[in-house]
Amino acid sequence: MLSSITVGLVLFLVLLLATTALFTYSRYQQKEARRPQDTPKKRNFAEEFANDLTPLIPKQRFDHQLPPLPHRYEQDFITLLSRSPYSLYGYWEVSAHLEEQVKNDWDSQTWTESPFVLRFYDITATDNLEEAPYEEYYISGHDDHWYFNKLQPAHKYCFAIGRLLPNRFVPLLISNEAITPADSPSSIIDPEWPPLAGLEVLYEVTNRDKGVSPVTGWGITSPAGPWSIHKKEQPCKREVVGDS
Amino acid sequence: MEIHKGMVAFVLHAHLPFVRHPDREDYLEERWLFEAITECYLPLLKVFEGWHRDGIPARFTMTMSPTLMTMLADPLLQERYSKHLDNLTLLGELEIDRTEEDRAYAHLAHLYRHRFYEAQQVFEHRYGCDLIGAFRGLMQKGVIEIIPCPATHGYLPLMRLQQEAQVAQIAVAVDTYEHYFHQKPKGIWLSECAYHEGLENRLAQFGIQYFLTDAHGILYATPRPRYGLYAPIQTPAGVAAFGRDLESSRQVWSREEGYPGDGDYREYYRDIGFDLDFEYVRPFIHPEGLRLHTGFKYHRITERDSDHKEPYVPTWAEAKTSLHAGDFLFNRSKQIEYLNQVIPDREPIIICPYDAELFGHWWYEGPLFLDQVGRQAQQVSPGIEFVTPSDYLKKYPRIQPSTPCESSWGADGYHEVWLEDSNHWLYRHLHKAAERMIGLSKERPHTEGLQRRALNQMARELLLAQSSDWAFIMKTNTTVQYAINRSVYHLNNCSLLYDMVTGEKPLREELVSELEEVNPVFPRMDYRLYSGQV
C-alpha cells in the first residue's frame, strides 16, 4: 500500500522537475531575446562556451608577438647625423648586390681579403675627398653604425664605407655632409646691430640637471644672479596639526 | 622713482604622446593623460579663467601638441577619463573612512575627495568634456595664446635629410590646430626646442611668425645678437626666434635650488598606491597588481635627501607659493632694472618656457604659483608686462637678422638625448619608412578608395613612430618596453601598409580598417603632404 506520503513525495519531485525545466526554458528564452537579430543560425558553440567561461581574460595587447624589425633591408644607404658640437653618428647598409657589382672590377681574392674600412673626412676646408684630411677605422662586415667623437664644433664632415685594397681605398658608399653645431658665441658682428657691452658679462653654467644651458660664453641676467629665497630663509621646525 | 619696464613671456608646453588603446583598459600609459587633465590642465584653466574674471591683464602662451589635441577630443578617452574619476572619488570615500581617526591625514582625504569630485563636475558639466573648447574660449578672450608643436612631437633635426617628413610634421600640426582653434597659429613650439639651420624655411611655408630655442640657440647665433637673450632675432626666412632665459628657468625648474623642491610642497613620489596595504589599494591600481600612483599623496617634501616625510599641510604650501611668486617677480624686476640700464633702445623680453606638466603634476602647487605671479604682478611690479612672443613682435617689428645655432633644450643642449646607445637603432627604420612614404606620395598623387585609405594610414603610422617621446623614454629608462614596442609596432604597420600598397601583399580592407580604428590620430590626414607640394 502506497502511503499518501509516498504519493506526496512523487508529486513533489514531479513538480520540482517541472519547475526546473520551466526555469531553464525561461532563461534560455531570455538569453535568446538578448541575442542580436542578425546572429547567424550556425554558431560555433565551442567558441561561445569558451568566451562565456573566460569573460575576464582581455584581448591580447598591441605588442603581443610583435615581429622584430628587419635586420637588413638589402638596400644601400648611408647617413651621417649631427649629435653635438663634438659628435656625429653614422649608419649604413651595403647590399650584397652593390658589393658584387664593385667586386667584379677587382680580383676576387684580393677584394675578399681586403679589410672593410670606414673613412671619416673633415671637409671643412675642401669638398674634394682626395685632398680632405681623414681618419680611418677598420670595421667588420657586421658593423652598421659608428659614433664619431672628439670632433671640432662648426666643422663639416662626411664618411665613406669601402674596402682597403693594397695601395687603394675603394669606397662603396659615401655619406651626406654634416656640420657640427657651434659651441661658443659667433665672432661675426653685424655693424648695424653691434652687441651691447653691458650684456657681454662672462659666466659659466654647465649643469644641465639644473635646467639650464651649457652656456660658457656671454649673456647676462642680473649681475648678482638670482636672489634665492632659500638663502634668505632660516630653517624652522613646525608642529604639524591636523586641522591646519 | 623711475619705473623700470620689461616684458615677461611665459610659455607652457603641454604635450603627451598619442596613447589610446581601444582594445583594453589596462594600459598604464593612458593614465598619463588622465593625470595631466586632473592635476595640470583643469587647474591651469581655473587660473586663467580666474584672471579673466578678475580682470588680471596677464597673458600667457600655451603650446598644445596635436597628439594631445586629438586625445582631448576623443570620445573614448573622455569616457575613460570620467570612469577614472569615478574610481578616484570612490577611493576618496574609502580614504575618508580610513583616516577618520588620524588628524594629520583626515583633512587631506577630504580635500582629495573634493578635488576629484570637483574635477569630474567641471570636466563633464562645465566643459561638456570639451577641454579644447575651454582653452579656445580663453584664447578668444585674450588671456592666452595657444600655439602647436609638430604633429607627433617629431624630432625635426634628426629628419633633416628628408624635408618632406619635416613638412608633413608641420603641415599636420597647422591643420590640426586650425581645425580645433579656428585660426592659423602665430608661432610654433619646436619639439624639445630642437632647431637646425634651414628649419625656418619649413616654418615660413606655413606663415608661422616665431619659434623658441634654448638660450645657446640665440647666444651662439650668427651674427652675434645685439641684445643677447632679451630680444628675438630674425632668421633668414623671416621667422623670429626667441631664446630661453636661464635665470628664471633655474629658479622654477632647478632640482637643487628651484622653488618646487621646497620642503613645504607636496612630495610627488609618496603615494598610497605604493604605501598602503596591497589588498586595500588593489582595486585602484593596475588589474595585474602592479602598484602605481593613485594621486592620493599625503606628505610634503620635508627634506629632499631623506626618506622621512612629514604630513602635507596645504596652507603652508599655499603660503609658500605666494612667497615664491613674490620672489620670482622681485628677481624679474631686478633683471629688468639691470637690462634697462644696458639696453638703450627697447624693452627687454624675458622668455620663460616650461613643460606645462611641471605645473600641477610634478609640482602640485605650480598652478597656484602661476596664479600668484599673475596677481601679484599687478600689485607690486607695474613695470612687468606679461606678453606673448607675438605681442612683442607687434610692438617691435624690426628685429636683428641672425641665424640661430643648432641646439635643443635636452641634456647638454644638442641632440644626444634622442640619438645615443639606447635609441640609435630607431633612425635607420624611421628614415626608411619616411623614404617609402615620400616615394609613394610622389609616385601616386591621384589614388582613390582603399589605396588612398591605406596611404593615409601609412602616413599616420609614420607620424606616430616619429614621436620623440619614444627615443626619450628609451634614454631615460622608464616604461622603456612600451616605448620600444610602440616604435616597432608603428614601423611594422608602415611596412605592412607599404607592402599592401605596392602589391607585395594583397591589399586587405579589414587590415586597413583595423588600423584606422585602432590608431585614428589625425582623421583629416592626407598622404600627399609627403610629395612636398603643400
Side-chain angles (χ1 to χ4, degrees), chain B residues 145-212:
Chain B
E145 177 172 312
I146 299 173
I147 57 172
C149 71
T152 53
H153 216 255
Y155 198 87
L156 301 182
L158 296 175
M159 295 178 203
R160 77 178 78 191
L161 298 174
Q162 295 170 315
Q163 291 184 14
E164 297 90 341
Q166 293 183 326
V167 168
Q169 280 276 350
I170 297 160
V172 172
V174 171
D175 178 69
T176 309
Y177 179 91
E178 283 188 63
H179 178 67
Y180 289 118
F181 293 103
H182 311 163
Q183 56 179 278
K184 288 188 180 303
K186 290 182 178 143
I188 196 165
W189 174 271
L190 296 177
S191 319
E192 315 295 358
C193 290
Y195 166 85
H196 70 89
E197 190 178 341
L199 193 52
E200 63 275 10
N201 296 320
R202 255 69 80 206
L203 308 180
Q205 271 179 262
F206 296 91
I208 287 169
Q209 294 168 20
Y210 69 88
F211 63 93
L212 296 99

Side-chain angles (χ1 to χ4, degrees), chain A residues 193, chain B residues 7 209 227 231-235 238-240 242 345-346 389-401:
Chain A
W193 301 84
Chain B
M7 304 181 209
Q209 294 168 20
Y227 303 104
I233 55 175
Q234 187 176 37
T235 62
V239 186
F242 290 80
D345 48 358
R346 62 175 68 200
S390 60
D391 294 338
Y392 181 93
L393 294 174
K394 218 179 278 175
K395 191 162 186 178
Y396 294 107
R398 187 171 174 269
I399 55 174
Q400 180 185 358

Side-chain angles (χ1 to χ4, degrees), chain A residues 21-71:
Chain A
L22 192 67
F23 180 72
T24 311
Y25 181 63
S26 139
R27 287 299 298 266
Y28 175 72
Q29 276 197 322
Q30 278 177 17
K31 194 173 176 184
E32 278 301 295
R34 285 201 298 270
R35 201 180 297 286
Q37 289 300 309
D38 57 352
T39 305
K41 293 279 181 208
K42 190 178 171 185
R43 296 195 308 272
N44 185 336
F45 282 95
E47 262 184 29
E48 187 183 316
F49 183 67
N51 280 338
D52 284 347
L53 279 182
T54 54
L56 296 177
I57 296 182
K59 282 187 183 173
Q60 303 282 15
R61 283 175 57 100
F62 77 98
D63 47 7
H64 175 71
Q65 292 183 337
L66 198 61
L69 294 170
H71 182 60

Side-chain angles (χ1 to χ4, degrees), chain A residues 59 75 89 91 144 220-221, chain B residues 24 230 247 424 431-432:
Chain A
K59 282 187 183 173
Q75 287 173 353
Y89 169 84
Y91 71 82
D144 60 4
I220 179 64
T221 58
Chain B
R24 301 161 53 122
Y230 303 106
E247 182 178 323
H424 74 94
H431 294 163
K432 174 54 71 182

Side-chain angles (χ1 to χ4, degrees), chain B residues 13-20 29-38 40-41 63-72 77 149-153 355-357 361-362 464 467-470 473 486 521-522:
Chain B
H13 173 48
H15 161 65
L16 287 171
F18 189 71
V19 175
R20 178 187 186 273
E29 292 76 12
E30 279 184 5
R31 286 190 180 227
W32 297 343
L33 175 69
F34 304 158
E35 287 170 10
I37 293 176
T38 312
C40 179
Y41 309 146
T63 79
M64 197 175 275
S65 69
T67 45
L68 177 60
M69 293 177 210
T70 311
M71 286 195 289
L72 289 177
L77 291 174
C149 71
T152 53
H153 216 255
D355 273 337
E357 286 76 20
H361 182 65
W362 298 109
L464 289 171
S467 168
S468 71
D469 304 276
W470 312 138
I473 292 171
R486 279 293 299 273
V521 71
F522 315 132

Side-chain angles (χ1 to χ4, degrees), chain B residues 185-428:
Chain B
K186 290 182 178 143
I188 196 165
W189 174 271
L190 296 177
S191 319
E192 315 295 358
C193 290
Y195 166 85
H196 70 89
E197 190 178 341
L199 193 52
E200 63 275 10
N201 296 320
R202 255 69 80 206
L203 308 180
Q205 271 179 262
F206 296 91
I208 287 169
Q209 294 168 20
Y210 69 88
F211 63 93
L212 296 99
T213 73
D214 201 348
H216 53 301
I218 301 298
L219 292 178
Y220 301 166
T222 307
R224 192 185 285 212
R226 173 175 170 80
Y227 303 104
L229 290 171
Y230 303 106
I233 55 175
Q234 187 176 37
T235 62
V239 186
F242 290 80
R244 175 164 74 127
D245 174 54
L246 298 169
E247 182 178 323
S248 53
S249 182
R250 186 161 64 239
Q251 282 183 304
V252 174
W253 211 324
S254 163
R255 199 173 298 155
E256 302 302 320
E257 55 196 277
Y259 304 134
D262 188 280
D264 280 346
Y265 289 140
R266 194 183 79 164
E267 167 69 48
Y268 174 80
Y269 292 99
R270 285 290 296 276
D271 188 293
I272 63 164
F274 296 93
D275 285 354
L276 292 189
D277 178 65
F278 181 73
E279 286 308 319
Y280 175 78
V281 294
R282 189 173 190 153
F284 306 99
I285 56 174
H286 191 266
E288 287 174 10
L290 194 62
R291 285 183 180 267
L292 41 83
H293 287 270
T294 61
F296 284 79
K297 300 171 199 291
Y298 292 134
H299 298 90
R300 58 192 174 92
I301 291 167
T302 315
E303 290 168 28
R304 268 171 290 177
D305 301 327
S306 158
D307 285 339
H308 170 72
K309 303 290 172 188
E310 294 286 328
Y312 179 58
V313 186
T315 48
W316 294 1
E318 196 179 328
K320 205 46 92 60
T321 60
S322 177
L323 206 60
H324 284 155
D327 181 73
F328 183 84
L329 288 168
F330 174 81
N331 276 289
R332 295 296 74 69
S333 115
K334 279 291 191 200
Q335 219 174 342
I336 288 169
E337 182 185 327
Y338 178 73
L339 292 168
N340 281 170
Q341 288 167 26
V342 296
I343 300 178
D345 48 358
R346 62 175 68 200
E347 290 172 73
I349 182 166
I350 298 168
I351 303 287
C352 308
Y354 307 101
D355 273 337
E357 286 76 20
L358 172 69
F359 296 93
H361 182 65
W362 298 109
W363 180 16
Y364 185 64
E365 300 81 0
L368 215 51
F369 165 81
L370 291 178
D371 192 32
Q372 285 293 323
V373 167
R375 288 173 187 276
Q376 289 186 28
Q378 309 316 311
Q379 301 161 15
V380 296
S381 307
I384 297 177
E385 189 185 358
F386 286 97
V387 299
T388 68
S390 60
D391 294 338
Y392 181 93
L393 294 174
K394 218 179 278 175
K395 191 162 186 178
Y396 294 107
R398 187 171 174 269
I399 55 174
Q400 180 185 358
S402 178
T403 303
C405 175
E406 179 167 342
S407 55
S408 87
W409 77 346
D412 296 329
Y414 297 91
H415 315 310
E416 289 162 304
V417 170
W418 295 272
L419 178 54
E420 56 105 52
D421 278 345
S422 67
N423 51 33
H424 74 94
W425 55 271
L426 260 173
Y427 293 97
R428 66 179 60 230

